[in-house]
Coordinates of all heavy atoms in Angstrom, one line a residue:
P339 N 24.3 -7.8 6.6 CA 23.1 -7.0 6.2 C 21.8 -7.6 6.6 O 21.8 -8.9 6.6 CB 23.2 -6.8 4.7 CG 24.1 -7.9 4.2 CD 25.0 -8.2 5.3
P340 N 20.8 -6.9 6.8 CA 19.5 -7.5 7.2 C 19.0 -8.4 6.1 O 19.3 -8.1 4.9 CB 18.5 -6.3 7.4 CG 19.4 -5.2 7.5 CD 20.7 -5.5 6.8
R341 N 18.3 -9.4 6.4 CA 17.7 -10.3 5.4 C 16.2 -10.5 5.6 O 15.8 -10.5 6.8 CB 18.4 -11.7 5.3 CG 18.4 -12.4 6.6 CD 19.3 -13.6 6.6 NE 19.4 -14.2 7.8 CZ 18.6 -15.2 8.3 NH1 17.7 -15.7 7.5 NH2 18.7 -15.8 9.5
S342 N 15.5 -10.7 4.5 CA 14.1 -10.9 4.7 C 13.8 -12.4 4.6 O 14.3 -13.1 3.8 CB 13.3 -10.2 3.5 OG 13.5 -8.8 3.6
T343 N 12.9 -12.9 5.5 CA 12.5 -14.3 5.5 C 11.1 -14.3 5.8 O 10.5 -13.5 6.6 CB 13.3 -15.0 6.6 OG1 13.0 -14.4 7.9 CG2 14.8 -15.1 6.4
P344 N 10.4 -15.3 5.2 CA 8.9 -15.4 5.5 C 8.8 -15.8 7.0 O 9.6 -16.4 7.6 CB 8.5 -16.7 4.6 CG 9.6 -16.8 3.6 CD 10.9 -16.2 4.2
S345 N 7.7 -15.3 7.5 CA 7.5 -15.6 8.9 C 7.1 -17.0 9.1 O 6.6 -17.7 8.2 CB 6.2 -14.7 9.4 OG 5.9 -15.1 10.7
N346 N 7.4 -17.5 10.3 CA 7.0 -19.0 10.6 C 5.5 -19.1 10.9 O 5.1 -20.2 11.0 CB 7.9 -19.4 11.8 CG 9.3 -19.5 11.5 OD1 9.7 -19.7 10.3 ND2 10.2 -19.3 12.4
S347 N 4.8 -18.1 11.1 CA 3.4 -18.1 11.3 C 2.6 -18.6 10.2 O 2.7 -18.0 9.1 CB 2.9 -16.7 11.8 OG 1.5 -16.8 11.8
S348 N 1.8 -19.7 10.3 CA 1.0 -20.2 9.2 C -0.1 -19.2 8.9 O -0.6 -19.3 7.8 CB 0.5 -21.6 9.5 OG -0.4 -21.5 10.7
A349 N -0.5 -18.4 9.8 CA -1.6 -17.5 9.6 C -1.2 -16.2 8.8 O -2.0 -15.4 8.4 CB -2.3 -17.1 10.9
A350 N 0.1 -16.0 8.6 CA 0.6 -14.8 8.1 C 1.6 -15.1 6.9 O 2.8 -14.9 7.0 CB 1.2 -14.0 9.1
S351 N 1.1 -15.6 5.8 CA 2.0 -16.0 4.7 C 2.6 -14.8 4.1 O 3.6 -14.9 3.4 CB 1.3 -16.8 3.7 OG 0.2 -16.2 3.2
D352 N 2.0 -13.6 4.2 CA 2.5 -12.4 3.6 C 3.3 -11.5 4.6 O 3.6 -10.3 4.4 CB 1.4 -11.6 3.1 CG 0.9 -12.2 1.8 OD1 1.6 -12.9 1.2 OD2 -0.3 -11.8 1.4
V353 N 3.7 -12.1 5.8 CA 4.5 -11.4 6.8 C 5.9 -11.7 6.6 O 6.3 -12.9 6.5 CB 4.0 -11.7 8.2 CG1 4.9 -11.0 9.2 CG2 2.6 -11.2 8.4
Y354 N 6.8 -10.7 6.5 CA 8.2 -10.9 6.4 C 8.9 -10.3 7.6 O 8.5 -9.2 8.0 CB 8.8 -10.3 5.1 CG 8.4 -11.2 3.9 CD1 7.1 -11.1 3.3 CD2 9.2 -12.2 3.4 CE1 6.7 -11.8 2.2 CE2 8.8 -12.9 2.3 CZ 7.6 -12.8 1.7 OH 7.2 -13.5 0.7
K355 N 9.9 -10.9 8.0 CA 10.7 -10.3 9.1 C 12.1 -10.1 8.7 O 12.6 -10.9 7.8 CB 10.7 -11.2 10.4 CG 11.2 -12.6 10.2 CD 11.0 -13.3 11.5 CE 11.5 -14.8 11.3 NZ 11.3 -15.6 12.5
R356 N 12.8 -9.1 9.2 CA 14.2 -8.9 8.9 C 15.0 -9.2 10.2 O 14.7 -8.6 11.2 CB 14.4 -7.5 8.4 CG 13.8 -7.3 7.1 CD 14.3 -6.1 6.4 NE 13.6 -6.0 5.2 CZ 14.0 -5.2 4.2 NH1 15.2 -4.6 4.3 NH2 13.4 -5.2 3.1
Q357 N 15.9 -10.1 10.1 CA 16.7 -10.4 11.3 C 18.1 -9.7 11.2 O 18.7 -9.8 10.1 CB 16.9 -11.9 11.4 CG 15.6 -12.6 11.7 CD 15.8 -14.1 11.6 OE1 16.6 -14.6 11.1 NE2 14.9 -14.8 12.3
V358 N 18.6 -9.2 12.3 CA 19.9 -8.6 12.2 C 20.8 -9.2 13.2 O 22.0 -9.2 13.1 CB 19.8 -7.1 12.5 CG1 19.6 -6.4 11.2 CG2 18.8 -6.7 13.5
S359 N 20.3 -9.9 14.2 CA 21.2 -10.5 15.2 C 21.3 -12.0 15.0 O 20.5 -12.7 14.4 CB 20.6 -10.3 16.6 OG 19.4 -11.1 16.8
K360 N 22.4 -12.5 15.5 CA 22.7 -14.0 15.4 C 21.6 -14.7 16.2 O 21.4 -15.9 15.9 CB 24.1 -14.2 15.9 CG 25.2 -13.8 14.9 CD 26.6 -14.1 15.4 CE 27.6 -13.6 14.5 NZ 29.0 -13.8 15.0
Q361 N 21.1 -14.1 17.2 CA 20.1 -14.8 18.1 C 18.7 -14.8 17.3 O 17.8 -15.3 17.9 CB 19.9 -14.0 19.4 CG 21.2 -14.0 20.3 CD 22.2 -13.1 19.8 OE1 21.9 -12.1 19.1 NE2 23.4 -13.2 20.3
G362 N 18.6 -14.2 16.2 CA 17.3 -14.2 15.4 C 16.3 -13.2 16.0 O 15.1 -13.4 15.8
L363 N 16.7 -12.1 16.6 CA 15.8 -11.2 17.1 C 15.2 -10.4 15.9 O 16.0 -10.0 15.0 CB 16.6 -10.1 18.0 CG 17.1 -10.7 19.3 CD1 17.9 -9.6 20.0 CD2 16.0 -11.2 20.2
M364 N 14.0 -10.3 15.9 CA 13.3 -9.6 14.8 C 13.4 -8.1 15.1 O 13.0 -7.6 16.1 CB 11.8 -10.0 14.7 CG 11.0 -9.4 13.6 SD 9.4 -9.9 13.4 CE 8.7 -9.5 15.0
E365 N 13.9 -7.3 14.1 CA 14.0 -5.9 14.2 C 13.0 -5.2 13.4 O 12.5 -4.1 13.7 CB 15.4 -5.4 13.8 CG 16.5 -5.9 14.8 CD 16.4 -5.3 16.1 OE1 16.0 -4.1 16.2 OE2 16.8 -5.9 17.1
I366 N 12.6 -5.8 12.2 CA 11.6 -5.2 11.3 C 10.5 -6.2 10.9 O 11.0 -7.3 10.6 CB 12.3 -4.6 10.0 CG1 13.4 -3.6 10.4 CG2 11.3 -3.9 9.1 CD1 14.2 -3.2 9.2
L367 N 9.3 -5.8 10.8 CA 8.2 -6.7 10.3 C 7.6 -5.9 9.2 O 7.2 -4.8 9.3 CB 7.2 -6.9 11.5 CG 6.0 -7.7 11.2 CD1 6.4 -9.2 11.1 CD2 4.9 -7.5 12.2
E368 N 7.4 -6.7 8.1 CA 6.7 -6.1 6.9 C 5.5 -6.9 6.5 O 5.5 -8.2 6.7 CB 7.6 -6.1 5.7 CG 8.9 -5.2 5.9 CD 9.8 -5.3 4.7 OE1 9.3 -4.8 3.6 OE2 10.9 -5.8 4.8
L369 N 4.4 -6.3 6.1 CA 3.2 -6.9 5.7 C 3.0 -6.7 4.3 O 2.7 -5.6 3.9 CB 2.0 -6.4 6.5 CG 0.7 -7.1 6.2 CD1 0.7 -8.6 6.4 CD2 -0.4 -6.4 7.1
R370 N 3.2 -7.7 3.5 CA 3.1 -7.6 2.0 C 1.6 -7.4 1.6 O 0.7 -7.9 2.3 CB 3.7 -8.8 1.3 CG 5.1 -9.1 1.6 CD 6.1 -8.1 1.0 NE 7.4 -8.5 1.2 CZ 8.4 -7.7 1.1 NH1 8.2 -6.5 0.7 NH2 9.6 -8.1 1.4
G371 N 1.3 -6.7 0.5 CA 0.0 -6.6 0.0 C -0.8 -5.5 0.7 O -2.0 -5.3 0.4
H372 N -0.1 -4.7 1.6 CA -0.7 -3.6 2.2 C -0.1 -2.3 1.7 O 1.1 -2.4 1.3 CB -0.5 -3.7 3.7 CG -1.3 -2.8 4.5 ND1 -1.0 -1.4 4.7 CD2 -2.5 -2.9 5.2 CE1 -1.9 -0.9 5.5 NE2 -2.9 -1.7 5.7
R373 N -0.8 -1.2 1.6 CA -0.1 0.0 1.0 C 1.1 0.3 1.7 O 2.1 0.6 1.1 CB -1.1 1.2 1.1 CG -2.1 1.3 0.1 CD -2.9 2.6 0.2 NE -4.2 2.2 -0.1 CZ -5.2 2.1 0.8 NH1 -5.0 2.4 2.0 NH2 -6.4 1.8 0.5
F374 N 1.1 0.3 3.0 CA 2.4 0.6 3.7 C 2.2 0.1 5.2 O 1.3 0.7 5.9 CB 2.7 2.1 3.8 CG 4.1 2.3 4.2 CD1 5.1 2.5 3.3 CD2 4.4 2.4 5.6 CE1 6.4 2.7 3.8 CE2 5.7 2.6 6.0 CZ 6.7 2.8 5.1
F375 N 2.8 -0.9 5.6 CA 2.8 -1.5 6.9 C 4.1 -1.9 7.2 O 4.7 -2.8 6.6 CB 1.8 -2.6 7.0 CG 1.8 -3.3 8.4 CD1 0.8 -2.9 9.3 CD2 2.7 -4.2 8.8 CE1 0.8 -3.4 10.6 CE2 2.7 -4.7 10.1 CZ 1.8 -4.3 10.9
I376 N 4.7 -1.4 8.3 CA 6.0 -1.8 8.8 C 6.0 -1.5 10.3 O 5.5 -0.5 10.8 CB 7.1 -1.1 8.0 CG1 8.5 -1.7 8.3 CG2 7.1 0.4 8.3 CD1 9.5 -1.4 7.3
A377 N 6.6 -2.4 11.0 CA 6.9 -2.2 12.4 C 8.4 -2.4 12.8 O 9.0 -3.3 12.1 CB 6.0 -3.3 13.2
T378 N 8.9 -1.6 13.6 CA 10.3 -1.8 14.0 C 10.5 -1.8 15.5 O 9.7 -1.3 16.3 CB 11.1 -0.5 13.4 OG1 10.7 0.6 14.2 CG2 10.9 -0.4 12.0
Q379 N 11.6 -2.4 15.9 CA 12.0 -2.4 17.3 C 13.2 -1.4 17.4 O 13.6 -1.1 18.5 CB 12.4 -3.8 17.8 CG 11.3 -4.7 18.0 CD 11.7 -5.9 18.8 OE1 10.8 -6.4 19.5 NE2 12.8 -6.4 18.6
F380 N 13.8 -1.1 16.3 CA 15.0 -0.2 16.4 C 14.5 1.3 16.3 O 13.3 1.5 16.1 CB 16.0 -0.5 15.3 CG 15.6 -0.1 13.9 CD1 15.9 1.0 13.2 CD2 14.7 -1.1 13.2 CE1 15.5 1.3 12.0 CE2 14.3 -0.7 11.9 CZ 14.7 0.4 11.3
H381 N 15.3 2.2 16.4 CA 14.9 3.6 16.5 C 15.5 4.5 15.3 O 16.5 5.1 15.6 CB 15.2 4.3 17.8 CG 14.4 3.6 18.9 ND1 13.2 4.0 19.3 CD2 14.7 2.6 19.7 CE1 12.7 3.3 20.3 NE2 13.7 2.4 20.6
P382 N 14.9 4.4 14.1 CA 15.5 5.2 13.0 C 15.5 6.7 13.2 O 16.2 7.4 12.6 CB 14.7 4.8 11.8 CG 13.3 4.3 12.4 CD 13.7 3.8 13.7
E383 N 14.6 7.2 14.1 CA 14.4 8.6 14.3 C 15.7 9.2 15.0 O 15.9 10.4 14.8 CB 13.2 8.9 15.2 CG 13.3 8.5 16.6 CD 12.9 7.1 16.9 OE1 12.8 6.3 16.0 OE2 12.6 6.8 18.1
F384 N 16.5 8.4 15.6 CA 17.8 8.9 16.3 C 18.8 9.4 15.3 O 19.5 10.3 15.6 CB 18.3 7.8 17.2 CG 17.5 7.5 18.3 CD1 17.6 6.3 19.0 CD2 16.6 8.4 18.9 CE1 16.9 6.0 20.1 CE2 15.9 8.2 20.1 CZ 16.0 6.9 20.6
K385 N 18.8 8.8 14.1 CA 19.8 9.2 13.1 C 19.2 10.0 11.9 O 19.9 10.4 11.0 CB 20.6 8.0 12.6 CG 21.4 7.4 13.7 CD 22.3 6.2 13.1 CE 23.2 5.7 14.2 NZ 24.1 4.7 13.7
S386 N 17.9 10.0 11.9 CA 17.2 10.6 10.7 C 17.3 12.2 10.8 O 17.1 12.7 11.9 CB 15.7 10.2 10.7 OG 15.1 10.6 9.5
R387 N 17.6 12.8 9.7 CA 17.6 14.3 9.7 C 16.9 14.8 8.5 O 16.7 14.1 7.5 CB 19.1 14.8 9.6 CG 20.0 14.4 10.7 CD 19.6 15.1 12.0 NE 20.4 14.7 13.1 CZ 20.0 13.7 14.1 NH1 18.8 13.2 14.0 NH2 20.8 13.5 15.1
L388 N 16.4 16.1 8.5 CA 15.7 16.6 7.4 C 16.4 16.4 6.0 O 15.9 16.0 5.0 CB 15.3 18.1 7.6 CG 14.1 18.3 8.3 CD1 13.9 19.9 8.6 CD2 12.8 17.8 7.6
E389 N 17.7 16.8 6.1 CA 18.5 16.7 4.9 C 19.0 15.3 4.5 O 19.5 15.0 3.4 CB 19.7 17.7 4.9 CG 20.7 17.3 6.0 CD 20.2 17.8 7.4 OE1 19.3 18.6 7.6 OE2 21.0 17.4 8.4
N390 N 18.8 14.4 5.5 CA 19.3 13.0 5.2 C 18.3 12.1 6.0 O 18.7 11.5 7.0 CB 20.7 12.8 5.7 CG 21.2 11.5 5.4 OD1 20.7 10.8 4.4 ND2 22.2 10.9 6.0
P391 N 17.1 11.9 5.6 CA 16.1 11.1 6.3 C 16.4 9.6 6.3 O 17.0 9.1 5.4 CB 14.7 11.3 5.5 CG 15.2 11.8 4.2 CD 16.5 12.4 4.3
A392 N 16.0 8.9 7.3 CA 16.1 7.5 7.4 C 15.3 6.9 6.3 O 14.2 7.4 5.9 CB 15.7 7.0 8.7
P393 N 15.7 5.9 5.6 CA 15.0 5.2 4.5 C 13.6 4.9 4.8 O 12.7 5.0 4.0 CB 15.8 4.0 4.2 CG 17.2 4.4 4.6 CD 17.1 5.2 5.8
I394 N 13.3 4.5 6.0 CA 12.0 4.1 6.4 C 11.0 5.4 6.4 O 9.9 5.2 6.0 CB 11.9 3.4 7.8 CG1 10.6 2.8 8.0 CG2 12.3 4.3 8.9 CD1 10.5 1.9 9.2
F395 N 11.5 6.5 6.8 CA 10.7 7.7 6.8 C 10.5 8.2 5.4 O 9.3 8.7 5.0 CB 11.3 8.8 7.7 CG 11.3 8.5 9.1 CD1 12.5 8.6 9.9 CD2 10.2 8.0 9.8 CE1 12.5 8.3 11.2 CE2 10.2 7.7 11.1 CZ 11.4 7.8 11.9
L396 N 11.5 8.1 4.6 CA 11.4 8.6 3.2 C 10.4 7.7 2.5 O 9.5 8.2 1.7 CB 12.8 8.5 2.5 CG 12.9 9.1 1.2 CD1 12.5 10.6 1.1 CD2 14.3 9.0 0.6
A397 N 10.5 6.4 2.7 CA 9.6 5.4 2.0 C 8.1 5.6 2.5 O 7.1 5.6 1.7 CB 10.0 4.0 2.3
F398 N 7.9 6.0 3.8 CA 6.6 6.2 4.3 C 6.0 7.5 3.6 O 4.9 7.6 3.2 CB 6.6 6.3 5.8 CG 5.3 6.6 6.4 CD1 4.2 5.7 6.3 CD2 5.0 7.9 7.0 CE1 3.0 5.9 6.8 CE2 3.8 8.1 7.6 CZ 2.7 7.1 7.4
S399 N 6.9 8.5 3.6 CA 6.4 9.8 2.9 C 6.0 9.6 1.5 O 5.0 10.1 1.1 CB 7.5 10.9 3.1 OG 7.8 11.1 4.4
K400 N 6.8 8.9 0.7 CA 6.5 8.6 -0.7 C 5.2 7.8 -0.8 O 4.4 8.0 -1.7 CB 7.7 7.8 -1.3 CG 8.9 8.7 -1.5 CD 10.0 7.9 -2.2 CE 11.2 8.9 -2.5 NZ 12.3 8.1 -3.1
A401 N 5.0 6.8 0.1 CA 3.8 6.0 0.1 C 2.6 6.9 0.3 O 1.5 6.7 -0.3 CB 3.9 4.9 1.1
C402 N 2.7 7.9 1.3 CA 1.6 8.7 1.6 C 1.3 9.6 0.4 O 0.1 9.8 0.1 CB 1.9 9.6 2.8 SG 2.0 8.7 4.4
L403 N 2.3 10.2 -0.2 CA 2.1 11.0 -1.4 C 1.4 10.2 -2.6 O 0.5 10.7 -3.2 CB 3.4 11.6 -1.9 CG 3.9 12.7 -1.0 CD1 5.3 13.1 -1.4 CD2 3.0 13.9 -1.0
K404 N 1.9 9.0 -2.7 CA 1.3 8.1 -3.8 C -0.2 7.8 -3.5 O -1.1 8.0 -4.4 CB 2.1 6.8 -4.0 CG 1.6 5.9 -5.1 CD 2.4 4.7 -5.2 CE 1.9 3.8 -6.3 NZ 0.5 3.7 -6.6
F405 N -0.4 7.5 -2.3 CA -1.8 7.2 -1.9 C -2.7 8.5 -2.1 O -3.8 8.4 -2.7 CB -1.9 6.9 -0.4 CG -3.4 6.7 0.1 CD1 -4.0 5.6 -0.3 CD2 -3.9 7.6 1.0 CE1 -5.3 5.4 0.2 CE2 -5.2 7.4 1.4 CZ -5.9 6.3 1.1
K406 N -2.3 9.7 -1.7 CA -3.0 10.9 -2.0 C -3.2 11.1 -3.5 O -4.4 11.4 -3.9 CB -2.2 12.1 -1.3 CG -3.0 13.4 -1.5 CD -2.2 14.5 -0.8 CE -3.0 15.8 -1.0 NZ -2.3 17.0 -0.4
R407 N -2.2 11.0 -4.3 CA -2.4 11.2 -5.7 C -3.4 10.2 -6.3 O -4.3 10.5 -7.1 CB -1.0 11.0 -6.4 CG -0.2 12.2 -6.5 CD 0.9 12.0 -7.5 NE 1.7 10.8 -7.4 CZ 2.7 10.6 -6.6 NH1 3.3 11.6 -5.9 NH2 3.4 9.4 -6.6
D408 N -3.2 8.9 -5.9 CA -4.1 7.8 -6.5 C -5.6 8.0 -6.0 O -6.5 7.7 -6.7 CB -3.6 6.4 -6.1 CG -2.3 6.1 -6.7 OD1 -1.8 6.8 -7.6 OD2 -1.7 5.1 -6.2
K409 N -5.7 8.5 -4.8 CA -7.1 8.7 -4.3 C -7.8 9.8 -4.9 O -9.0 9.7 -5.1 CB -7.0 8.9 -2.7 CG -8.3 9.0 -2.1 CD -8.1 9.1 -0.6 CE -9.5 9.2 0.1 NZ -9.4 9.3 1.5
F410 N -7.1 10.9 -5.3 CA -7.8 12.1 -5.8 C -7.7 12.2 -7.3 O -8.1 13.2 -7.8 CB -7.2 13.3 -5.1 CG -7.6 13.4 -3.6 CD1 -6.7 13.1 -2.7 CD2 -9.0 13.5 -3.3 CE1 -7.0 13.2 -1.3 CE2 -9.3 13.6 -1.9 CZ -8.3 13.4 -0.9
L411 N -7.2 11.2 -7.9 CA -7.1 11.3 -9.5 C -8.2 10.5 -10.0 O -8.8 9.6 -9.7 CB -5.7 10.8 -10.0 CG -4.6 11.8 -9.6 CD1 -3.3 11.2 -10.3 CD2 -4.8 13.2 -10.3

């Protein structure tokens, strides 16, 4: 399974990468402390469906709804 590890960059202590390959290829980058920041090299849209969305799309949608609720309340 993917694992989260702190980035080796000294300038980005809140950056986490998820490695999936034995070669250490970074597939996902997360920025902690931001409302929603994530970068990917894989393509979750290929398997995502309306009735079964990829977790990354579902999390993004939930973060958007939360931001909208928090901003207007």
